[in-house]
Amino acid sequence: METSSIEIERAATILKLLGDKTRLTMLKMLDSHDYCVCEFVEIFKVSQPAISQHVRKLKDAGLVGETRRGQWIIYSLNKESDVFPLVQNLMNHLPNQDFKLQELEEQGLRISCE
Amino acid sequence: METSSIEIERAATILKLLGDKTRLTMLKMLDSHDYCVCEFVEIFKVSQPAISQHVRKLKDAGLVGETRRGQWIIYSLNKESDVFPLVQNLMNHLPNQDFKLQELEEQGLRISCE
DNA sequence: ATATTATATAAGTAAATCATTATATGCTAA
DNA sequence: TTAGCATATAATGATTTACTTATATAATAT
């Protein structure tokens, strides 16, 4: 009935982070694929610094990790996070976002980071 | 694997609401008991209007319902909400808050609303 | 070396958020 | 009807948020 529980204050911090359409969508996307910043920039209609700031917040909270690959930085879900079970659980209530990846591919914008 | 899903924008709105320590705690408390505003006022160290504003937000989002009982207004979880499954799911990751009720009773502050 | 591309950081700003105090409303009880 | 309690609403202010533009850093390619 009760999974291992998270301090309420920490949970509130995490939920506030996810209470933003852009970051929530990012996380759901990362649930099926890794993404680089430039892809996020193409997908969301905001500036590159805005995207950098969003991923930074997710990273500071320990929700995502980054790996450099050449000049690109690839972000991925951090499955080791203590709040990963909660996040994962949440994600199951959200619609799949793979269509965004498909749109990218149709526009030939996915190739860039490979 | 996938429960019936909620539009991402709506989910973000709900999560933003829950991304506040006071409201998140309220919801977790309402998961086991109904509460009136005056009890919340005793429990949280904020003014009565602050509490009213928090419960109003929860009510506007359809997360809680209210019933008047004499001069008191009792708030309860709205289990009919389309986002109730998500909320319920979240609650399972949070520590039980019944000790707050016990504290109230020890101070003799619970009687007031009965 | 220099230019180009990807990303991060800094600085500034408009809007949103969460509290407060003051006041209004609504029920109850004398 | 008036007093008192519970709750809601209004007005205000400090803080936070999420963007923007400008600039810095880091890797790649010529």
Side-chain angles (χ1 to χ4, degrees), chain B residues 35-39 69 72 74 109-114:
Chain B
Y35 282 88
C36 72
V37 172
C38 64
E39 288 170 321
R69 186 152 76 210
W72 297 282
I74 313 294
L109 291 167
R110 174 130 170 102
I111 335 156
S112 49
C113 307
E114 301 286 330

Side-chain angles (χ1 to χ4, degrees), chain B residues 22-40:
Chain B
T22 303
R23 287 190 297 264
L24 187 60
T25 308
M26 282 178 168
L27 271 192
K28 180 65 182 183
M29 290 169 69
L30 291 173
D31 201 23
S32 15
H33 293 279
D34 294 352
Y35 282 88
C36 72
V37 172
C38 64
E39 288 170 321
F40 283 142

Side-chain angles (χ1 to χ4, degrees), chain A residues 46-107:
Chain A
V46 294
S47 65
Q48 173 268 315
I51 296 295
S52 270
Q53 285 155 19
H54 281 304
V55 293
R56 189 187 207 288
K57 284 181 186 185
L58 294 175
K59 194 186 126 204
D60 286 350
L63 297 183
V64 305
E66 60 176 36
T67 324
R68 182 176 277 276
R69 187 153 73 212
Q71 51 191 327
W72 297 283
I73 298 183
I74 312 294
Y75 284 90
S76 56
L77 267 194
N78 175 14
K79 301 188 175 171
E80 309 306 320
S81 165
D82 60 327
V83 294
F84 177 70
L86 179 147
V87 171
Q88 186 75 333
N89 228 278
L90 258 168
M91 292 304 148
N92 289 337
H93 294 269
L94 303 180
N96 190 288
Q97 299 295 306
D98 286 353
F99 68 92
K100 291 199 191 293
L101 190 63
Q102 285 163 17
E103 282 172 17
L104 266 198
E105 275 163 1
E106 280 158 20
Q107 297 176 269

Side-chain angles (χ1 to χ4, degrees), chain B residues 69-113:
Chain B
R69 186 152 76 210
Q71 51 191 325
W72 297 282
I73 298 184
I74 313 294
Y75 285 90
S76 57
L77 266 195
N78 174 16
K79 302 188 175 172
E80 309 306 320
S81 164
D82 60 326
V83 293
F84 178 69
L86 179 147
V87 171
Q88 186 75 334
N89 226 278
L90 258 168
M91 293 304 148
N92 290 337
H93 294 269
L94 304 179
N96 191 288
Q97 297 296 305
D98 287 354
F99 69 92
K100 291 198 191 291
L101 191 64
Q102 286 164 15
E103 282 173 16
L104 267 198
E105 274 162 2
E106 279 158 21
Q107 297 176 269
L109 291 167
R110 174 130 170 102
I111 335 156
S112 49
C113 307

